[in-house]
Each structure stands twice: as structure tokens, then as C-alpha cells.
Amino acid sequence: MIPGFSTPRLRALGSWIVGSLVAVICAALLFAWSGLYNIAASSGHLAVTRAFLEFGMTNSVRTQSAMIEAPNLVNDVDRVRLGAGHYQGGCAPCHGAPGEPANPIAKHMLPPPPTLAPHVKRWQDKHLFWIVKHGMKYTGMPAWASQDRDDEVWAVVAFLRRLPHLTPEGYRELAYGSASAQRRPVTALLSSGSDTPDIAACAKCHGTKSAGPTSSLVPRLAGQSETYLAQALRDYAENSRQSGIMEPIAAELDELTVKAVAAYYAGLERHRDRQPEPSLTGDHDAGEKIARNGAPEEAIPSCLSCHGQNAAERYPRLAGQPQRYLALQLGLFRSGVRANTERARTMAAIAERLSDRQIAQVTAYFASLPPLSLTQNMRDAAVDAPAKQGAQR
Amino acid sequence: MTFFQTCPALILAAVLLTGCGGDQSVLSPFSENARTVNILSNVLFIGGFLILAVVIVLAGLAVFGSAHLRRRLAGENTVVVGGLVFPLVTLTPLLLYGYALLGAGPAPLDGQRPLEVTVIGEQWWWRVIYTDSAGNSIRSANELRIPVGRPVKLSLKTADVIHSFWVPNLAGKVDMIPGRTNTLTLSADSPGIFRGQCAEYCGGAHALMAFKVVALPAKEFATWLEVEQSPAREPQSQVESEGLELFLANGCGGCHSVRGTPARGTVGPDLTHVGGRKTLAAGVLPNTAESIARWIRDNQEIKPENRMLPYRSLEPAELSAISSYLAGLR
């Protein structure tokens, strides 16, 4: 027993504490019940409230992101361009962009979404990553739409690092890619009857007939089958394929538009851009061997049996796809992120058997091939197939 | 003892004895090897029984016998005779007899050129490769066809872990050990279909790693081998043609070979004559078009963690076309 604190005095102190707590809770309930507190966004915060919230937010971000390890984002143009493409549709409506002020509606949120350029300096890469991935309670900042796609979040962070240095022209070039010149409705390109969806949402990253994708993290869609492209969009819309970038875009498309977009890209024989010379990491010849014959000792089938020119339309053609994109997707298959459809599960089972080395090899091989369009494939196949079959007999 | 008192015992004996026959039983030998094993087992069983009887009698005497008898049993002689002399004179001849009976090394070929077959255990199926006199190899899986009366020289290997090749009606177990080739020579006396089973635990689906051995009269075997050597049967109907097309377009050829088509994968079983086999998936399913469709779709449920890819994205019509094509490959 501590001297001076006899049992009756302790009891009295206890009752006093409990009584005060009950009184405070009652007062709080009464205050909330009365509706006297003004929750209006229009009324703003007191300066002291704002300072307190800011203090709490800053420290929360720092503490919560303490364990994150950031990849090297310096000079990663592919990430910057992919991040820019998403920023334009996903972030700029609220945060604004160089030459494009935020929507006035967003400006009247509380807190108003800040113009990011001056703020980016305050944060390290991992802080920005945490904010973009998890969003913030009570601010209207949403979490990333696909919590398994950290790779996409890092792309946005890479872009945010570039943001303070961008002129309006620089921003337009990054964010809209070739689409800035091609803002025409897809129906005009297809001359078919439908709503008038704007191909620009796709073209800003995936390019158009005259220009390929802006980033090697983005697949080249020209020449893929309509079946495959439409199914990919449906998978994104149904959240059975994970992407914080593609899911929001696909979710807005109706079936007619899905078909129109798929038909547009399937109809392009190839992107008429100069395909960037792939700087390949990985043994290209070893990759060709796996692609053609598989690796039977590890139960890995040949890639071309499903991704070659004669395969069913439900599978994508891999020739000429950027190595970085292919390696990224194989990683997603292997880690189980891209394994939510029956089709993806077939591929995921194979990807689990691939080593990092083999992934580097096969992706180097496919990236080195000239992109072949399906229409062209079909023509070649029709000429080649009888001769080939005869030779094998 | 009346009939009704003995009846349950008789019924029980009858039920137990049914386990002694059948297509996977050491007690019903169909080859010289199996018969030798059977004879040796019988010698051991009967001898062991007799020794047990003597021991029981001696134990009884040691407890209930006269004082004189008990004193003699407790003497040093009992230990010397029962513990040293008796095991020496029984076990030594038995060892020599066993060596003589089983023969060290492969069984004699009696001047006949053996049929050479390589069997490779894989998790969880059997790759079977026949080699003809010209050195050509014919690939099959999960079924071994042999001619009656001719010795068959099996080279037993493994692609992964230790398996054990065991066809009780024809021969004893022989392990398949990584990095080694074990040889087993056997020959069947009379035609029949026997079941074999992996006899060494080799992972989750070990119990689902069985196979059939079909012993055929020499002439029938020759006919069968000729068919097995030939390329796959051409599709015979619209559905089968579609089946072949779908088989190729969905990448099945990445793992499986169908000779005569562009499918030339070597990861999984050769399917050139899959329709002619008795079972599917290493003795797990009866070989019908329905089973094939079920296997393509649900193979991970039927044999968990096997290396065949799950193909649940195929439409029912596609599955049925592929399976009718494959079932037709006799």
C-alpha cells in the first residue's frame, strides 16, 4: 500500500474518475444528438483543427510506411509514362495537373484535394506509395483499386516525382501519349453504330494505329484476337483480373463498347511505330528453346503451343510484346495475383514452375520477335500449315 | 459343434480367402518369378508355423512340466541348442535355398531374345517405352503389354523421387531409384490382365499411381505392337476433327504427343493410342470419353497436385469434342 492512500480514499478517487468519464461520454452523445456540430464541407475547419489533423496525418503516414522498401524509380521512364496515363484519368480530376486545373466540384471538398506539385517534396517515395495505395480516411482520398498491384502504385509514385518539373506541354505529352492527336470516337474509326466511346481512354497508354504503347509496362494490343481483348476487358470489369489502372476504365464500358474497342485493336495489323529496340536481359536462345519445346524436366510445356500463331483465339499472342510487360505478368501469374479466372489458373500453374532465369529467357525471346498480327498469322498459317504437317509425318 | 455354430466361422474364412485371388495378389502367381516368390513364402510360413508350435509346447512344458523336465529346460544346453545350433542349421540352408530359388541378378532368358521395355516412374504415372529390334522406341503410358511366354526385360527408372514397380501376380517389388536403372526380367505363363501399383510412398497421390499389365498371346501381341507403332488414327467424324483442332489450338500438344499430328510434347503421357488403354490417369478412371472429359476438366480434384494443368476454361462442347477424338485413338 502506498503511504497516504488508504482504502476509502482510493475508492473515492475511483468513483470520481468513473463519474467524470460517464459525464464526458454523456456530454459527447448529447452534443452529437443535438446536431449543433456543423459538418458542412462549406464551413471549413478552425485553424487549430486543421493544424491538429495535419499533424496526425503526417505522423500516421510516416509511421505506417516505415517498413516499406522503395524500388529505384530514378529515370524509370516506363513507370513515369504508365503513372502519367493513370494520373490523367484517376487523379487529375481532383488534384489537377499542369495546365489542367482540378474540377471545381473537387475543389469544394473538405479538405480540398491539394495541387500535388508543391507537396511531393515533403514526402519520400515510400510515403507517397503508402498514400496512393491505402488512401486516407476522412479525406475522400480512395485506396488503390487493386491492393495486390504494388507495381502499378510505384508507377504513379514515379510519375509524382516527375510532376513538379512538368510544363503543361510536357504533361500532355506524357499523359495523353499519341492520343492527344487522335481524340476521335471509336465509332468513327470503325464506322459502326454504337454509342460514341472515346478511344482516347485506351489510346493514351496503348496507342493507336500510328503509334504503339507509351511504356514497356503496357502490352501492344494490335493484332491480338478480338475474343482475347474483349475477355480481358470483361475480366477487369468483373474484378477477376487485378489492376488499379484497368479495372476503373473497364468497369465503365458497356458490352457494345467492349466489343468495339476489342475490334478496333484486333483490326490493327500492327502499330505503325518504330518498335523500340528491346534492351534484352536474359539468354534469348535459351528462351527460344523453352518457347518451342518447353522444359520437360520441369514439366514446363512449350509457350508456343498456346501462344503461337495457330493457337485458339482465347489465348494472347506474345510475339513482340515488351519484355518488361511479359515478365511483370508472369510474376503476377506466379504469385497467384493473376489466377482468378479458369483460364488464368491454367497459366498460373505453369508460371509456378518457371524460375526467375527462365522468365528472363522466355520474355527476352518473345520481345525480340517482330510483332505479328493475327490477321497476318492466319494468312501465313493457311500457307504454311499443310507443308508443315506433311513434313512432320 | 453343430453346423450353425461353425457357419459364421466358415463365412468369415470364405470372405477372407477371396482376398487371396484377384488381379493384384501375391497368392495367385502367373509367372515363374511370382511362383518362386510364392513357394519361398509358403516355406517360410509353414516353417515359421512349425517353429512357433514347438516353442509353444516348450513354453507349456516350462510352466506346467514335471520338476525334472523344468530343470532340464533351464539348463545351459537349451540355450546352446535352441539359441545357437538351431538357428544356424535352419537359417543357413534357408539363406542358400533363397539365393538358389530367387537367383542373383536377372532371371535366365533361356536363349530367347527378351522384349525390352523401359518404365519410368513419375509423380504420379508411368512412362512406358518399348524398344524394338531396330532400336526404335514406341512410347506409351500407364499400361504394359507383354507377350505370353517370352521374357520381358524391364529397365526401371525414375524421373523424380523413389517409386517401386510392383505387379504382385508377376514379380516382386523393384524400386525405381533416382540416377539408377534397375532391371527386372519377367515373363507371364498365361494371358491375363494384372494390376500393378507403386509400392514406395512417392508423394500425395502415391495411392493413385497404378497401372495394368496385359499379357497377350504372342500373335495378338505382335498385332498390337504394330498398331502401337503406327501414327495416330485420323479423325473419323466431324466431331473428332473438331476435337483434334481444339486439342492443338488449346496447347495440349505442349505436353502430349500424338504421332502424326503437330502435337509432340514430352511432359505428359504420349496419347497416340490413348483410346486403346484399359484405364486413364494411371489406373484411376475407366477409359471412356466421359472420363477423358472429366479428367481434362477436374484432374486436380481427381488426383490433387498432379502436374497436368487444370483446363476448366474449356466449354462443355469443346471438352466433349476433344474427348471423343482422344477416345477414338485406339
Side-chain angles (χ1 to χ4, degrees), chain A residues 292-302 305-306 310-315 342-347 349-350 353 389 392-393, chain B residues 159 234 246 248-255 260-264 266-267 297 300 306-315 318:
Chain A
R292 289 187 182 283
N293 306 321
E297 319 77 51
E298 288 124 278
I300 298 166
S302 73
S305 59
C306 279
N310 296 326
E313 293 198 359
R314 55 163 69 93
Y315 308 115
E342 299 296 2
R343 217 157 20 102
R345 269 189 275 274
T346 305
M347 186 63 217
I350 302 170
R353 301 171 194 174
Q389 283 202 2
Q392 246 150 9
R393 265 179 209 166
Chain B
E234 295 286 331
L246 286 163
L248 296 173
N250 285 289
C252 307
C255 288
T261 75
R264 51 190 181 86
T266 56
V267 176
R297 197 185 141 72
Q300 289 300 323
N306 87 83
R307 309 203 96 176
M308 164 113 178
L309 304 174
Y311 263 102
R312 297 175 67 99
S313 57
L314 293 174
E315 303 291 329
E318 295 177 315

Side-chain angles (χ1 to χ4, degrees), chain B residues 254-308:
Chain B
C255 288
H256 298 284
S257 288
V258 177
R259 273 177 283 124
T261 75
R264 51 190 181 86
T266 56
V267 176
D270 187 302
L271 301 181
T272 309
H273 297 287
V274 64
R277 296 178 201 149
K278 303 280 174 207
T279 64
L280 198 68
V284 175
L285 299 172
N287 193 1
T288 62
E290 293 74 41
S291 296
I292 296 176
R294 222 186 115 206
W295 174 254
I296 295 172
R297 197 185 141 72
D298 297 329
N299 65 72
Q300 289 300 323
E301 279 67 37
I302 297 167
K303 191 185 283 198
E305 288 179 35
N306 87 83
R307 309 203 96 176
M308 164 113 178

Side-chain angles (χ1 to χ4, degrees), chain B:
Chain B
M1 211 186 270
T2 70
F3 172 74
F4 289 103
Q5 279 170 306
T6 54
C7 196
L10 283 174
I11 291 172
L12 185 66
V15 168
L16 289 176
L17 283 170
T18 54
C20 300
D23 65 351
Q24 187 181 332
S25 168
V26 281
L27 299 174
S28 124
F30 274 80
S31 77
E32 199 51 43
N33 305 36
R35 211 169 353 264
T36 330
V37 172
N38 202 24
I39 290 169
L40 190 57
S41 324
N42 285 340
V43 166
L44 286 170
F45 282 136
I46 294 166
F49 176 77
L50 290 175
I51 293 168
L52 179 68
V54 170
V55 169
I56 289 173
V57 168
L58 289 177
L61 289 176
V63 177
F64 303 110
S66 67
H68 172 71
L69 205 58
R70 285 161 63 188
R71 205 173 309 117
R72 287 199 58 181
L73 273 174
E76 200 178 286
N77 280 348
T78 317
V79 179
V80 174
V81 174
L84 290 173
V85 179
F86 180 71
L88 212 64
V89 299
T90 47
L91 291 183
T92 310
L94 197 62
L95 183 69
L96 296 175
Y97 174 65
Y99 273 142
L101 205 60
L102 295 178
L109 302 176
D110 303 331
Q112 285 179 284
R113 200 177 54 73
L115 172 73
E116 299 206 13
V117 187
T118 305
V119 182
I120 304 171
E122 308 204 9
Q123 285 173 318
W124 292 280
W125 61 284
W126 312 84
R127 195 187 291 271
V128 180
I129 305 165
Y130 300 83
T131 312
D132 69 8
S133 45
N136 300 320
S137 54
I138 305 149
R139 287 161 182 277
S140 179
N142 300 327
E143 190 166 296
L144 179 62
R145 297 217 174 199
I146 57 174
V148 168
R150 182 174 160 198
V152 180
K153 190 178 153 203
L154 297 170
S155 301
L156 304 174
K157 302 181 194 180
T158 169
D160 35 57
V161 298
I162 301 179
H163 301 278
S164 187
F165 181 93
W166 190 33
V167 196
N169 299 69
L170 295 180
K173 298 171 190 175
V174 178
D175 278 6
M176 302 164 128
I177 297 166
R180 275 188 62 99
T181 303
N182 284 341
T183 310
L184 172 66
T185 308
L186 52 79
S187 103
D189 298 338
S190 51
I193 300 175
F194 314 106
R195 189 170 187 276
Q197 167 74 45
C198 180
E200 178 69 50
Y201 180 73
C202 59
H206 160 66
L208 301 176
M209 183 172 168
F211 61 105
K212 292 278 186 190
V213 177
V214 183
L216 296 169
K219 251 193 185 156
E220 275 180 51
F221 177 79
T223 319
W224 172 81
L225 195 63
E226 210 169 291
V227 174
E228 195 71 7
Q229 257 170 321
S230 60
R233 193 184 76 145
E234 295 286 331
Q236 306 287 308
S237 66
Q238 180 65 28
V239 173
E240 289 188 11
S241 301
E242 283 169 24
L244 171 59
E245 212 166 281
L246 286 163
F247 180 87
L248 296 173
N250 285 289
C252 307
C255 288
H256 298 284
S257 288
V258 177
R259 273 177 283 124
T261 75
R264 51 190 181 86
T266 56
V267 176
D270 187 302
L271 301 181
T272 309
H273 297 287
V274 64
R277 296 178 201 149
K278 303 280 174 207
T279 64
L280 198 68
V284 175
L285 299 172
N287 193 1
T288 62
E290 293 74 41
S291 296
I292 296 176
R294 222 186 115 206
W295 174 254
I296 295 172
R297 197 185 141 72
D298 297 329
N299 65 72
Q300 289 300 323
E301 279 67 37
I302 297 167
K303 191 185 283 198
E305 288 179 35
N306 87 83
R307 309 203 96 176
M308 164 113 178
L309 304 174
Y311 263 102
R312 297 175 67 99
S313 57
L314 293 174
E315 303 291 329
E318 295 177 315
L319 271 179
S320 118
I322 294 174
S323 55
S324 359
Y325 168 67
L326 291 175
L329 296 180
R330 294 186 181 282

